[in-house]
Amino acid sequence: MKKLLLVLTLSLPLFLQGCGGGGQNSCSFSNLTPGATYLIIITNSQNVSITLTRVASSTGTITVQTPISCGNVVAVLATNSNQALSASPSSIYLPSPPSTATITGQSFDATYGMPRVEYFDGNGYLVGAVYASSVSGSTSLQASVPDLSAAYSGNYVVRVTNKTSQGYYANTVGTAGITAWGRDRVDSDGDGWYDDQDCDPYDPYLTNNCGGEVCGGGQEPITVCP
């Protein structure tokens, strides 16, 4: 899973380079709330968007460099209600996970669209994201459980975000904790690197060529391959 996440991270520059076809534009936003967190949403000509998180300076400004036209870059204030939420079930057996989960708390709002529900592992990596299928009042929602076939045993955080009147998921309601079990991470060659991190999970001494890149100079310990 981590390899996939690294690929997605490394593809960010490719996304940006492939959209503008020219030099870098310096896109500046002013009159923002000093010290506040903003979502910088960049949309290319194929209407594909990425979202960056930036904190406004002490003078209320944010500047980003991108080949995308500044007319396709917006800054949206991100708010966080920091609600302590509860998830049911709170423990998931990974080989046979439930199809739906119920999140309870307060401040859920479906006025502008169903809340988004995201699952993060213990390292903060996004495992999966879905949208609520129903919201009951403002205190309960139901949502499908995302694909957890590549997830491992451990602690996870479920985050709920409301869609605002501006059309962006910019209001974090809060988080709930869950545990997952039944699929432990494996280190087949016993070299201290889990198989999903190891370029050659069955050789404790030599690394493999991962996607054209040699990791670790041929000897362990290795660097994680993209």
Side-chain angles (χ1 to χ4, degrees):
M1 180 183 299
K2 188 168 290 185
K3 290 181 183 177
L4 174 60
L5 289 163
L6 286 169
V7 168
L8 294 175
T9 300
L10 293 172
S11 68
L12 176 58
L14 298 178
F15 168 91
L16 295 175
Q17 292 169 5
C19 303
Q24 294 286 314
N25 295 312
S26 183
C27 304
S28 296
F29 301 90
S30 58
N31 298 318
L32 306 178
T33 302
T37 299
Y38 284 80
L39 304 180
I40 306 300
I41 301 167
I42 305 171
T43 306
N44 69 6
S45 57
Q46 287 75 45
N47 203 34
V48 177
S49 298
I50 61 169
T51 300
L52 311 176
T53 302
R54 295 289 185 269
V55 176
S57 70
S58 59
T59 59
T61 61
I62 292 176
T63 300
V64 294
Q65 302 292 327
T66 171
I68 306 294
S69 168
C70 292
N72 292 327
V73 182
V74 298
V76 179
L77 178 65
T79 59
N80 192 335
S81 300
N82 290 312
Q83 300 287 346
L85 310 178
S86 298
S88 179
S90 59
S91 180
I92 292 178
Y93 180 55
L94 291 172
S96 182
S99 58
T100 61
T102 300
I103 312 296
T104 55
Q106 54 184 322
S107 302
F108 302 137
D109 188 355
T111 302
Y112 305 104
M114 283 294 178
R116 184 174 64 198
V117 182
E118 299 167 297
Y119 286 64
F120 297 88
D121 69 12
N123 293 314
Y125 289 102
L126 178 65
V127 175
V130 295
Y131 296 97
S133 55
S134 64
V135 174
S136 179
S138 63
T139 59
S140 176
L141 66 79
Q142 282 196 325
S144 299
V145 173
D147 180 10
L148 299 177
S149 59
Y152 296 98
S153 303
N155 296 318
Y156 288 78
V157 171
V158 181
R159 183 174 72 189
V160 178
T161 306
N162 287 332
K163 193 173 188 179
T164 67
S165 60
Q166 294 175 287
Y168 302 105
Y169 283 91
N171 171 226
T172 299
V173 178
T175 59
I178 64 170
T179 58
W181 58 286
R183 187 184 299 124
D184 295 341
R185 295 177 78 181
V186 177
D187 177 11
S188 295
D189 57 16
D191 62 1
W193 294 85
Y194 292 114
D195 286 7
D196 59 304
Q197 297 175 311
D198 199 334
C199 288
D200 191 337
Y202 304 106
D203 189 333
Y205 302 107
L206 297 175
T207 61
N208 194 12
N209 185 295
C210 298
E213 291 198 21
V214 178
C215 296
Q219 296 291 329
E220 307 279 18
I222 62 172
T223 57
V224 180
C225 284

